[in-house]
Amino acid sequence: MTWTETRRRQQVLREVRAVAAVRLDGVLPWSDDYADAFAGPDDLFRDLAYFWRIQVEAQIDPGLDEYTLEERRDDLYRRNEGVLRIIDAHRDAQRRREHELAA
C-alpha cells in the first residue's frame, strides 16, 4: 500500500468516525466515494474495529489505579460512542445470522 493510499484510508476513517459521532445510530456510514480506499463496507468495518482495539490498547493500562482506569475508560467510551454503536450493531447482526443458521 502506498503512502497516498494509506492517507486516503485514514481520511475515510476520520470521516466515518465523525459521521458516526453525530448520527449515533449504529449504522456504518458508507459512500461510493470510499471505494477507492476500501473494497467495501466489510473492509471499512474491519479497519474501524481495528482502530477501536488500538485505542483501547494504547489508553487502557491495567497497571493504573482503579480510579484512573475508570476515568480513562469513561473518556474513551464517550469520545468513541458512535464507533462503539457500529461495532455493537455489527456484532448483534452477526449473532442473529449465526442463530438463524443454527435453527
Side-chain angles (χ1 to χ4, degrees), residues 36-72:
D36 64 326
F38 294 95
D42 289 341
D43 191 29
L44 174 58
F45 175 78
R46 277 190 297 276
D47 270 22
L48 192 63
Y50 179 72
F51 160 81
W52 171 248
R53 283 192 309 274
I54 294 300
Q55 292 293 304
V56 171
E57 290 172 8
Q59 297 181 38
I60 304 297
D61 180 358
L64 294 171
D65 65 85
E66 190 173 325
Y67 174 79
T68 304
L69 186 62
E70 190 65 29
E71 194 174 65
R72 287 231 181 126

Side-chain angles (χ1 to χ4, degrees), residues 13-50:
L13 282 170
R14 279 192 301 275
E15 185 176 321
V16 165
R17 291 192 329 258
V19 170
V22 171
R23 291 191 344 200
L24 296 174
D25 61 3
V27 176
L28 179 69
W30 176 257
S31 165
D32 290 339
D33 293 339
Y34 301 160
D36 64 326
F38 294 95
D42 289 341
D43 191 29
L44 174 58
F45 175 78
R46 277 190 297 276
D47 270 22
L48 192 63
Y50 179 72

Side-chain angles (χ1 to χ4, degrees), residues 71 73-82 84:
E71 194 174 65
R73 188 176 290 124
D74 288 347
D75 180 58
L76 186 62
Y77 279 63
R78 189 173 33 259
R79 286 185 290 115
N80 293 282
E81 184 178 357
L84 289 173

